[in-house]
Amino acid sequence: MTDTQTQLSAEIAARHAAYQAELAAGAPARTGPYLDFDPYRSSILRHPTKNPRLVDPETIELVSPAFGHRDVAPVESDLTLQHRGEPLGERTIVEGRVLDGWGRPVRNQLVEIWQANAGGRYIHQRDQHPAPLDPNFTGAGRCITDDDGRYRFTTIKPGPYPWRNHLNAWRPAHIHFSLFGNAFTQRIVTQMYFPGDPLFALDPIYQSIPDQAARDRLVSRYDHDLTSPEWALGYRWDIVLTGPQATWFEPEGGVA
């Protein structure tokens, strides 16, 4: 382990130890991240620094986008069919349910995803990672949950990619999820990870969530029954909106 990795690991361990001390002193458990997390160098730039202000919701709705079943085509949930050619990489099926805090399905919910390609690169002008772009993979899709709260995407497993948080910093493979609620102003964003990733221990974004159980809820599980023979591996991941088992959601400002 390099000096940089040792320092990063020590910083993460110190913050987690402080959290355990908080719990021992009677503080409630946290399901979300610290807004300022020292190992995540730019965290102070990625969340609001001023108190929230009341706004007129009707005014916002005049300029917010409208979503609905008629606006979402079934093909949008299959990211491997959006171009004429075959995308490169490991075909992956991701399926799960959107649930409330009582385990009830959240129906007719707009779910959007975006991700890097198999080489770990986004189709974005600010992404300067020298990995190749895939002309047959855009990396974005969406669907509407059914009556059982279920969503399903067919995609390519994203690759890890470097980021400039510290020397030799790499983000674990992940897929960004967005849920819109009943209006654009209710939008929440989170990330899904893949099991067994060796980068978890050195990822300050993942580690900024102090509670291990809350971190574990971001990791999908391999499902052999969901796996399509000779075609795609299957992963299952549920999203819980509220309650003690709630999925972690990003603070406003987002993360990489």
mmCIF file of all heavy atoms in Angstrom, residues 26-42:
data_model
loop_
_atom_site.group_PDB
_atom_site.id
_atom_site.type_symbol
_atom_site.label_atom_id
_atom_site.label_comp_id
_atom_site.label_asym_id
_atom_site.label_seq_id
_atom_site.Cartn_x
_atom_site.Cartn_y
_atom_site.Cartn_z
ATOM 1 N N GLY A 26 -24.876 7.769 22.443
ATOM 2 C CA GLY A 26 -26.324 7.880 22.322
ATOM 3 C C GLY A 26 -26.831 8.579 21.085
ATOM 4 O O GLY A 26 -28.038 8.792 20.945
ATOM 5 N N ALA A 27 -25.956 8.936 20.157
ATOM 6 C CA ALA A 27 -26.386 9.602 18.927
ATOM 7 C C ALA A 27 -27.131 8.613 18.034
ATOM 8 O O ALA A 27 -26.830 7.410 18.047
ATOM 9 C CB ALA A 27 -25.180 10.175 18.185
ATOM 10 N N PRO A 28 -28.111 9.081 17.257
ATOM 11 C CA PRO A 28 -28.837 8.173 16.361
ATOM 12 C C PRO A 28 -27.947 7.716 15.210
ATOM 13 O O PRO A 28 -27.002 8.407 14.816
ATOM 14 C CB PRO A 28 -30.000 9.037 15.860
ATOM 15 C CG PRO A 28 -29.502 10.452 15.974
ATOM 16 C CD PRO A 28 -28.621 10.473 17.192
ATOM 17 N N ALA A 29 -28.253 6.551 14.685
ATOM 18 C CA ALA A 29 -27.501 6.033 13.549
ATOM 19 C C ALA A 29 -27.754 6.877 12.306
ATOM 20 O O ALA A 29 -28.843 7.434 12.130
ATOM 21 C CB ALA A 29 -27.886 4.582 13.287
ATOM 22 N N ARG A 30 -26.754 6.973 11.457
ATOM 23 C CA ARG A 30 -26.858 7.742 10.212
ATOM 24 C C ARG A 30 -27.006 6.772 9.053
ATOM 25 O O ARG A 30 -26.256 5.801 8.938
ATOM 26 C CB ARG A 30 -25.605 8.601 9.987
ATOM 27 C CG ARG A 30 -25.329 9.642 11.040
ATOM 28 C CD ARG A 30 -23.984 10.307 10.781
ATOM 29 N NE ARG A 30 -23.949 10.946 9.475
ATOM 30 C CZ ARG A 30 -24.111 12.245 9.258
ATOM 31 N NH1 ARG A 30 -24.328 13.059 10.290
ATOM 32 N NH2 ARG A 30 -24.053 12.755 8.053
ATOM 33 N N THR A 31 -27.949 7.050 8.152
ATOM 34 C CA THR A 31 -28.065 6.277 6.921
ATOM 35 C C THR A 31 -27.482 7.027 5.744
ATOM 36 O O THR A 31 -27.306 6.460 4.673
ATOM 37 C CB THR A 31 -29.531 5.938 6.615
ATOM 38 O OG1 THR A 31 -30.279 7.154 6.504
ATOM 39 C CG2 THR A 31 -30.130 5.076 7.707
ATOM 40 N N GLY A 32 -27.175 8.294 5.926
ATOM 41 C CA GLY A 32 -26.609 9.107 4.857
ATOM 42 C C GLY A 32 -25.169 9.489 5.143
ATOM 43 O O GLY A 32 -24.630 9.201 6.210
ATOM 44 N N PRO A 33 -24.516 10.154 4.196
ATOM 45 C CA PRO A 33 -23.106 10.492 4.354
ATOM 46 C C PRO A 33 -22.908 11.776 5.148
ATOM 47 O O PRO A 33 -23.832 12.568 5.332
ATOM 48 C CB PRO A 33 -22.649 10.697 2.915
ATOM 49 C CG PRO A 33 -23.867 11.260 2.239
ATOM 50 C CD PRO A 33 -25.044 10.569 2.901
ATOM 51 N N TYR A 34 -21.671 11.981 5.594
ATOM 52 C CA TYR A 34 -21.293 13.285 6.109
ATOM 53 C C TYR A 34 -21.198 14.244 4.920
ATOM 54 O O TYR A 34 -20.670 13.899 3.861
ATOM 55 C CB TYR A 34 -19.939 13.225 6.798
ATOM 56 C CG TYR A 34 -19.927 12.451 8.090
ATOM 57 C CD1 TYR A 34 -19.321 11.210 8.182
ATOM 58 C CD2 TYR A 34 -20.527 12.981 9.230
ATOM 59 C CE1 TYR A 34 -19.308 10.506 9.375
ATOM 60 C CE2 TYR A 34 -20.522 12.278 10.430
ATOM 61 C CZ TYR A 34 -19.911 11.044 10.496
ATOM 62 O OH TYR A 34 -19.907 10.359 11.674
ATOM 63 N N LEU A 35 -21.702 15.457 5.086
ATOM 64 C CA LEU A 35 -21.592 16.430 3.997
ATOM 65 C C LEU A 35 -20.158 16.848 3.787
ATOM 66 O O LEU A 35 -19.708 17.059 2.652
ATOM 67 C CB LEU A 35 -22.467 17.650 4.306
ATOM 68 C CG LEU A 35 -23.974 17.386 4.325
ATOM 69 C CD1 LEU A 35 -24.734 18.686 4.573
ATOM 70 C CD2 LEU A 35 -24.444 16.742 3.026
ATOM 71 N N ASP A 36 -19.410 17.017 4.862
ATOM 72 C CA ASP A 36 -17.977 17.304 4.763
ATOM 73 C C ASP A 36 -17.225 16.080 5.262
ATOM 74 O O ASP A 36 -17.252 15.766 6.454
ATOM 75 C CB ASP A 36 -17.612 18.527 5.610
ATOM 76 C CG ASP A 36 -18.221 19.808 5.062
ATOM 77 O OD1 ASP A 36 -18.444 19.870 3.844
ATOM 78 O OD2 ASP A 36 -18.476 20.730 5.851
ATOM 79 N N PHE A 37 -16.574 15.390 4.352
ATOM 80 C CA PHE A 37 -15.865 14.165 4.680
ATOM 81 C C PHE A 37 -14.439 14.322 4.194
ATOM 82 O O PHE A 37 -14.175 14.343 2.988
ATOM 83 C CB PHE A 37 -16.556 12.977 4.005
ATOM 84 C CG PHE A 37 -16.033 11.632 4.408
ATOM 85 C CD1 PHE A 37 -16.206 11.168 5.707
ATOM 86 C CD2 PHE A 37 -15.394 10.824 3.496
ATOM 87 C CE1 PHE A 37 -15.735 9.919 6.078
ATOM 88 C CE2 PHE A 37 -14.921 9.572 3.854
ATOM 89 C CZ PHE A 37 -15.093 9.118 5.149
ATOM 90 N N ASP A 38 -13.493 14.453 5.126
ATOM 91 C CA ASP A 38 -12.123 14.820 4.774
ATOM 92 C C ASP A 38 -11.508 13.985 3.659
ATOM 93 O O ASP A 38 -10.861 14.537 2.754
ATOM 94 C CB ASP A 38 -11.233 14.750 6.025
ATOM 95 C CG ASP A 38 -11.656 15.764 7.087
ATOM 96 O OD1 ASP A 38 -12.328 16.744 6.716
ATOM 97 O OD2 ASP A 38 -11.329 15.566 8.266
ATOM 98 N N PRO A 39 -11.652 12.654 3.668
ATOM 99 C CA PRO A 39 -11.047 11.875 2.574
ATOM 100 C C PRO A 39 -11.637 12.182 1.197
ATOM 101 O O PRO A 39 -10.986 11.951 0.184
ATOM 102 C CB PRO A 39 -11.339 10.429 2.989
ATOM 103 C CG PRO A 39 -11.520 10.483 4.464
ATOM 104 C CD PRO A 39 -12.199 11.789 4.720
ATOM 105 N N TYR A 40 -12.890 12.666 1.162
ATOM 106 C CA TYR A 40 -13.510 13.080 -0.093
ATOM 107 C C TYR A 40 -13.196 14.555 -0.260
ATOM 108 O O TYR A 40 -13.881 15.418 0.235
ATOM 109 C CB TYR A 40 -15.013 12.808 -0.013
ATOM 110 C CG TYR A 40 -15.805 13.112 -1.268
ATOM 111 C CD1 TYR A 40 -15.198 13.386 -2.488
ATOM 112 C CD2 TYR A 40 -17.192 13.117 -1.225
ATOM 113 C CE1 TYR A 40 -15.941 13.657 -3.608
ATOM 114 C CE2 TYR A 40 -17.955 13.387 -2.345
ATOM 115 C CZ TYR A 40 -17.327 13.664 -3.539
ATOM 116 O OH TYR A 40 -18.074 13.938 -4.656
ATOM 117 N N ARG A 41 -12.128 14.862 -0.967
ATOM 118 C CA ARG A 41 -11.503 16.182 -0.950
ATOM 119 C C ARG A 41 -12.434 17.317 -1.372
ATOM 120 O O ARG A 41 -12.374 18.415 -0.833
ATOM 121 C CB ARG A 41 -10.257 16.196 -1.852
ATOM 122 C CG ARG A 41 -9.246 15.099 -1.556
ATOM 123 C CD ARG A 41 -8.765 15.095 -0.127
ATOM 124 N NE ARG A 41 -7.687 14.132 0.088
ATOM 125 C CZ ARG A 41 -7.402 13.578 1.253
ATOM 126 N NH1 ARG A 41 -8.139 13.873 2.319
ATOM 127 N NH2 ARG A 41 -6.416 12.717 1.356
ATOM 128 N N SER A 42 -13.310 17.055 -2.328
ATOM 129 C CA SER A 42 -14.168 18.129 -2.836
ATOM 130 C C SER A 42 -15.557 18.102 -2.232
ATOM 131 O O SER A 42 -16.460 18.761 -2.738
ATOM 132 C CB SER A 42 -14.271 18.049 -4.366
ATOM 133 O OG SER A 42 -14.887 16.851 -4.764
#
